[in-house]
Amino acid sequence: MSSITPIRDPKTDHLISPENSALILIDYQPLQVNSIKSMDHEELVRNIVIVTKVAKGFNVPIILTTVNVESGINKPTIKHLKEVLPDVKEIDRTTVNSWEDKGFQDAVKALGKKKLVICALWTEVCLSFPALDLLKEGYEVYTIVDAVGGTSGIAHETALRRIEQAGVQLSSVTQYACELQRDWNRLETKPVFFDALMANGSFFVETLRW
């Protein structure tokens, strides 16, 4: 069976594509990771690394921002992410809300992308506040629910409810990878796509072992 070629215009597609989106990573730092109570820390780190590898493999632009590193209060991005993004410079801030930092705002605007996938720690603060602001600025905002976390289960879930009601679209690690790939015949990105599904333990990949 042949595929439809091309599959719509990737720049104007209503779904996420490498051409119309960017990935924003906010505050994946040791202190924040260790404070997460809504999911297992190892799973959280594994999932955000998968997301980042997928984005990089599909040439999706990536913004990486931290808080209070230059002041000496906090440590930089966890090594697991920095190993994937050795050439991406961190935008350090003092603001709780990334959108209230000029350097961050300028970086986002310079991307020229309408769809922004935001992953941050914590869900109830560093994800929610910029996501709500970006919606007001006219962006389409997405988050990956199994790659973000909050200081408690109820804090995480309540924050997701708030931003979803405001218009943020919720996704998952597997959905994000599949939305970028779309077709197994896209051979250039197939290895990145397959590795992501394997690392995430997706069900239909598991069935291949039978």
Side-chain angles (χ1 to χ4, degrees), residues 32-166:
Q32 282 84 341
V33 171
N34 289 331
S35 67
I36 295 303
K37 299 294 190 295
S38 60
M39 70 182 297
D40 177 76
H41 294 174
E42 290 187 6
E43 182 181 3
L44 171 67
V45 171
R46 182 182 73 243
N47 285 352
I48 194 60
V49 168
I50 294 170
V51 168
T52 305
K53 285 182 176 179
V54 167
K56 186 175 181 180
F58 280 84
N59 294 318
V60 173
I62 299 173
I63 289 177
L64 180 64
T65 181
T66 56
V67 66
N68 272 331
V69 174
E70 292 181 7
S71 67
I73 296 174
N74 212 344
K75 294 181 179 180
T77 300
I78 56 174
K79 64 178 183 179
H80 310 75
L81 277 183
K82 285 301 294 180
E83 288 172 355
V84 181
L85 302 171
D87 300 323
V88 176
K89 183 179 178 181
E90 297 173 326
I91 301 170
D92 194 51
R93 323 174 319 276
T94 59
T95 61
V96 172
N97 180 354
S98 299
W99 191 246
E100 294 183 314
D101 179 84
K102 185 178 185 303
F104 179 84
Q105 268 202 30
D106 290 346
V108 171
K109 291 176 181 178
L111 292 172
K113 302 293 184 179
K114 182 180 181 181
K115 301 179 188 293
L116 301 177
V117 179
I118 304 180
C119 294
L121 303 179
W122 306 315
T123 315
E124 66 268 35
V125 180
C126 299
L127 171 59
S128 294
F129 299 160
L132 293 170
D133 274 343
L134 285 164
L135 288 171
K136 291 295 185 181
E137 294 289 328
Y139 291 95
E140 293 179 25
V141 184
Y142 303 75
T143 194
I144 300 175
V145 297
D146 48 351
V148 301
T151 56
S152 70
I154 188 68
H156 171 73
E157 294 298 333
T158 302
L160 289 179
R161 286 172 58 190
R162 179 181 178 184
I163 62 176
E164 184 179 26
Q165 289 171 359

Side-chain angles (χ1 to χ4, degrees), residues 3 9 94 121 127 192 194 208:
S3 303
D9 183 343
T94 59
L121 303 179
L127 171 59
V192 175
F194 187 78
L208 295 177

